[in-house]
Amino acid sequence: MYIRQTRTASSSSGEAYITYRLVRGIRTGGKVRQVTLLNLGRNFDIPKEDWPTLCARIDQLTMAQPELPLSVLLPVSLEKAAQMYAKRLIELGVLKEHPVSVPTQPKEFTEVDVDSLELSYPRSVGVEHVGMHAFKQLGLDEKLAELGINGVMRAAILASIIGRMAKPASEHATWNWLCTQSALGDLMHMDFSTLSPMRLYRASDLLIKNREAIETHLFERASHLFSLTSTVTLYDLTNTYFEGDCAEAPKAKRGHSKEKRTDCPLVTLGMVLDGSGFVRRSRMFEGNAVESHTLEEMLQGLHAPEKALVIMDAGIATEANIAWLSTNGYRYLVVSRERTRHMDTERAVETHNSHGQPVRLQKVLSDDGKEVRLYCYSEARAQKEVAIVDRFVQRYEAGLQKLVDGLSKPRGEKRLEQINRRIGRLNERCHGVAQHYCLHLAADEQGTLCTGITWEKTMKPNSMATHPGVYCLRSNETGWDEHTLWHTYTMLTDLEAVFRSLKSELGLRPVYHHKEDRIDGHLFITVLAYQLVQIIRRQLNQAGIRGSWSQLRNTLEVQRRVTTSFVQRDGRTMHVRKSTRAEPDLLAIYNALGLNASPGGTVKSVF
């Protein structure tokens, strides 16, 4: 085995360049001919004086020879290269006599040296297996080919999306994962170590360039797969922060961070989803976008369908936005921003949430008959809100008592102006509890010092304190009954679960890019990964297998693809690359999805 360099020319440009090949001489019919085992490419940068050592080490690894003293002293870079090329030879199934693949035959027995047994190249395969399944179901490879994207870039796109599903990280970290931890290359018959990391960045650019066509195709395909009826539009925003100043991205602005990262610039991700949870459109907006002020821009920019039922939370449901929805022919079902709470239990009907807990509903039609309010009462929510009110009441009264105690202490605060400021800060910390108290501050004759503080507690009617567990929905769907209105609204909690999955399970936060197109690409790859996850979870739900993506991923990532090597009696070395046996929970997932429990099959090589 040796390395040969060959001068060749590009077929497109005619440019001459040198390529490197791993070659072996094979005797056939009394003659020796040279056979290329591997094309090492044009970027092979190992010094020529190290080539004999590299070839000797590859022979060691592929033929299970005893360790040579020299191998212990090899530089790390040379050892990594030797292991990489040996792995590729084994995966290709190169024979000692002839470089062809040997098919695995049933009931094939061979006598081996047990002490020579070695296990090598363990790589994760479970998430990759189901990810490729979802990718194929959505017909994404065919759509990308239709858009004129070549095979190498389609592979890079698939790798980027599945990498985000399996181990969310930056593009460079994803490339490292593909080369050193994942068996996705085995399943795709591709060696990602020969692929430049820049391919993943360019894959992101291509996705953004074709964003609208890809999103339209994915939603139509998902609708066809699951026979979805597109009647509901869920709309919401979230933001993600940067690690760095991000000075080159105009949309990176400082604003209200939902992760409390006010020290970082932000960008906003807006999404329109169907009631099934599949994304219709996504778009990146400026980080300081205010939800209640940008509804019109968001819905038009995200191409929300006409006459769609728009479901939103109270943060967006201002009177102006509701009026705009009505004027433009949208139906709406929103959380009311009104602070007063009402509930007539005698007129209420009962339903149950997804956990089987009772929920009381009271429907009230407006005087003009154009809008309906649905007052909802949940016992579980009531218990939570009672605990919240009690906690803030105790904090408020303890704060007032501390001020009173300070009046009698020599160094306690007595200045009336400062006392009023401290009461103001206490009101802010106790989140609305102050409305239930009437305070009286006594002052000295000069009006500068406080001499006493007293208070009366009177719970304000129709508030959280008097009506815990009650909230209100508004809609212009006046013909719907209480059950339909409430169960449709609960889809908003599914949307919140989508954002939680994007942020915590699929690596939406943080962003390390600095260029705006790459930032948008990072967000879009996360959205595409979510679409594949949604395909998998929906099919598993139909089979009775439920759980978050994190839970499913923990089950999937246990399976490994491993190479087993041993020396046969005839002195040749056999390598068998195969996936480990699927454990019961994993096997149930594969069966539900109709997948082979041994992804990648069995590849046997003899050297």
Side-chain angles (χ1 to χ4, degrees):
M1 184 183 298
Y2 60 95
I3 295 170
R4 184 178 66 197
Q5 60 183 29
T6 305
R7 183 175 295 275
T8 185
S10 170
S11 58
S12 57
S13 64
E15 177 191 0
Y17 62 91
I18 294 176
T19 185
Y20 299 86
R21 302 170 187 270
L22 185 64
V23 177
R24 170 175 288 164
I26 294 179
R27 184 176 295 277
T28 305
K31 296 183 179 181
V32 176
R33 60 189 182 92
Q34 296 178 352
V35 176
T36 297
L37 303 179
L38 278 180
N39 187 344
L40 305 179
R42 59 193 297 182
N43 297 319
F44 181 75
D45 57 0
I46 294 175
K48 191 169 185 178
E49 58 268 21
D50 291 333
W51 290 359
T53 305
L54 175 65
C55 293
R57 182 60 178 147
I58 293 172
D59 266 333
Q60 279 187 317
L61 293 169
T62 55
M63 297 184 182
Q65 295 175 356
E67 293 285 337
L68 299 176
L70 179 62
S71 66
V72 181
L73 304 176
L74 286 181
V76 173
S77 59
L78 204 59
E79 177 66 18
K80 283 185 176 180
Q83 292 202 19
M84 177 183 69
Y85 295 134
K87 174 177 174 289
R88 287 169 61 186
L89 285 171
I90 292 168
E91 290 172 355
L92 290 171
V94 179
L95 283 171
K96 186 173 182 180
E97 291 83 6
H98 198 273
V100 295
S101 181
V102 178
T104 301
Q105 299 176 357
K107 296 183 180 179
E108 182 180 353
F109 299 95
T110 186
E111 199 170 2
V112 302
D113 177 7
V114 176
D115 291 335
S116 69
L117 182 68
E118 287 187 353
L119 302 177
S120 57
Y121 312 120
R123 300 289 186 268
S124 63
V125 72
V127 176
E128 294 86 337
H129 192 29
V130 299
M132 286 187 65
H133 167 72
F135 194 86
K136 290 175 182 176
Q137 283 194 305
L138 287 172
L140 194 48
D141 190 66
E142 292 84 353
K143 183 61 181 179
L144 295 174
E146 180 185 316
L147 293 170
I149 300 175
N150 64 44
V152 174
M153 292 310 301
R154 295 202 305 272
I157 288 171
L158 171 61
S160 295
I161 296 171
I162 293 183
R164 194 63 54 87
M165 294 169 63
K167 193 168 183 180
S170 66
E171 275 77 357
H172 192 274
T174 297
W175 176 81
N176 206 23
W177 171 80
L178 289 166
C179 296
T180 62
Q181 299 178 47
S182 172
L184 183 61
D186 285 29
L187 302 183
M188 297 176 63
H189 307 291
M190 182 172 186
D191 184 3
F192 283 104
S193 64
T194 64
L195 197 72
S196 167
M198 282 303 301
R199 291 280 188 179
L200 300 187
Y201 292 98
R202 294 181 184 128
S204 168
D205 298 339
L206 283 173
L207 287 172
I208 291 302
K209 181 180 178 181
N210 298 281
R211 180 182 207 145
E212 187 167 341
I214 291 171
E215 286 188 326
T216 300
H217 169 81
L218 291 182
F219 186 75
E220 290 177 351
R221 191 61 178 261
S223 299
H224 175 73
L225 283 173
F226 299 106
S227 302
L228 306 177
T229 55
S230 180
T231 57
V232 176
T233 293
L234 302 173
Y235 165 68
D236 206 352
L237 305 167
T238 191
N239 55 39
T240 181
Y241 61 89
F242 293 86
E243 293 293 358
D245 294 333
C246 204
E248 298 179 37
K251 289 183 180 177
K253 305 287 186 181
R254 294 188 183 274
H256 173 68
S257 171
K258 297 188 177 183
E259 288 288 292
K260 312 301 181 186
R261 290 300 303 268
T262 54
D263 59 319
C264 302
L266 312 170
V267 288
T268 298
L269 174 66
M271 291 203 306
V272 168
L273 295 91
D274 189 72
S276 59
F278 288 98
V279 179
R280 296 183 66 97
R281 287 287 185 272
S282 64
R283 185 178 168 189
M284 184 177 77
F285 300 95
E286 292 185 351
N288 60 356
V290 180
E291 293 179 341
S292 59
H293 296 170
T294 56
L295 175 68
E296 179 179 353
E297 177 191 356
M298 299 292 185
L299 287 185
Q300 290 177 346
L302 293 166
H303 305 289
E306 294 182 2
K307 298 181 180 180
L309 174 65
V310 180
I311 305 177
M312 304 178 298
D313 63 18
I316 312 174
T318 62
E319 291 295 335
N321 283 340
I322 291 174
W324 182 86
L325 289 171
S326 298
T327 302
N328 288 272
Y330 287 103
R331 299 172 295 151
Y332 61 84
L333 175 57
V334 301
V335 182
S336 175
R337 295 166 68 111
E338 65 185 40
R339 293 183 176 273
T340 56
R341 301 184 177 205
H342 308 276
M343 174 59 73
D344 185 348
T345 55
E346 294 183 359
R347 296 176 54 195
V349 299
E350 187 173 293
T351 188
H352 292 83
N353 62 20
S354 59
H355 301 291
Q357 299 168 332
V359 178
R360 304 284 293 174
L361 308 171
Q362 179 193 354
K363 179 181 172 183
V364 179
L365 197 64
S366 64
D367 294 337
D368 58 8
K370 294 182 179 180
E371 191 177 57
V372 64
R373 277 175 167 75
L374 186 70
Y375 294 98
C376 313
Y377 170 78
S378 164
E379 180 64 34
R381 184 178 181 130
Q383 293 175 0
K384 179 181 177 180
E385 291 185 351
V386 165
I388 290 173
V389 171
D390 288 345
R391 185 171 75 253
F392 285 126
V393 163
Q394 293 174 15
R395 180 185 297 178
Y396 191 72
E397 292 185 355
L400 292 177
Q401 188 60 49
K402 185 176 180 180
L403 293 176
V404 171
D405 294 342
L407 297 178
S408 59
K409 294 180 179 179
R411 296 185 180 181
E413 185 59 69
K414 301 176 182 63
R415 290 171 295 176
L416 186 60
E417 182 181 358
Q418 290 299 321
I419 293 291
N420 278 318
R421 287 180 180 176
R422 292 190 179 186
I423 290 174
R425 289 196 293 269
L426 183 62
N427 291 347
E428 291 180 2
R429 290 198 302 270
C430 294
H431 301 281
V433 166
Q435 66 181 320
H436 306 299
Y437 289 83
C438 182
L439 301 182
H440 304 280
L441 275 67
D444 62 3
E445 294 180 358
Q446 290 76 25
T448 58
L449 298 179
C450 180
T451 58
I453 304 173
T454 58
W455 61 85
E456 295 176 5
K457 179 182 175 183
T458 304
M459 291 300 180
K460 187 175 181 179
N462 299 323
S463 65
M464 183 191 293
T466 58
H467 289 71
V470 176
Y471 56 97
C472 179
L473 309 178
R474 295 175 62 179
S475 178
N476 56 1
E477 281 289 350
T478 56
W480 286 8
D481 61 22
E482 295 90 339
H483 299 279
T484 304
L485 284 168
W486 188 81
H487 284 287
T488 304
Y489 157 73
T490 58
M491 292 180 181
L492 191 61
T493 60
D494 295 334
L495 177 57
E496 293 169 354
V498 170
F499 280 123
R500 283 195 299 273
S501 177
L502 288 167
K503 291 178 285 192
S504 62
E505 298 178 325
L506 296 173
L508 186 70
R509 295 171 173 164
V511 180
Y512 293 95
H513 296 288
H514 297 280
K515 296 181 179 179
E516 197 154 285
D517 287 345
R518 295 282 163 79
I519 297 165
D520 206 359
H522 171 85
L523 302 186
F524 189 44
I525 289 171
T526 304
V527 171
L528 293 178
Y530 166 77
Q531 294 279 66
L532 267 64
V533 166
Q534 185 70 356
I535 287 282
I536 296 165
R537 290 188 61 201
R538 192 174 181 91
Q539 290 179 327
L540 293 179
N541 283 342
Q542 293 174 348
I545 300 175
R546 293 176 174 81
S548 67
W549 176 242
S550 293
Q551 293 168 330
L552 294 172
R553 184 166 57 195
N554 288 340
T555 302
L556 291 165
E557 65 185 7
V558 171
Q559 191 177 34
R560 290 288 187 272
R561 192 158 171 81
V562 181
T563 296
T564 304
S565 305
F566 41 80
V567 177
Q568 302 177 111
R569 177 175 285 277
D570 60 9
R572 298 188 303 168
T573 301
M574 178 179 289
H575 304 274
V576 179
R577 186 153 182 82
K578 188 175 181 180
S579 298
T580 56
R581 181 185 295 125
E583 297 184 12
D585 289 343
L586 177 57
L587 186 59
I589 290 174
Y590 284 158
N591 290 338
L593 297 175
L595 295 177
N596 188 336
S598 182
T602 302
V603 177
K604 187 179 72 171
S605 308
V606 180
F607 289 84

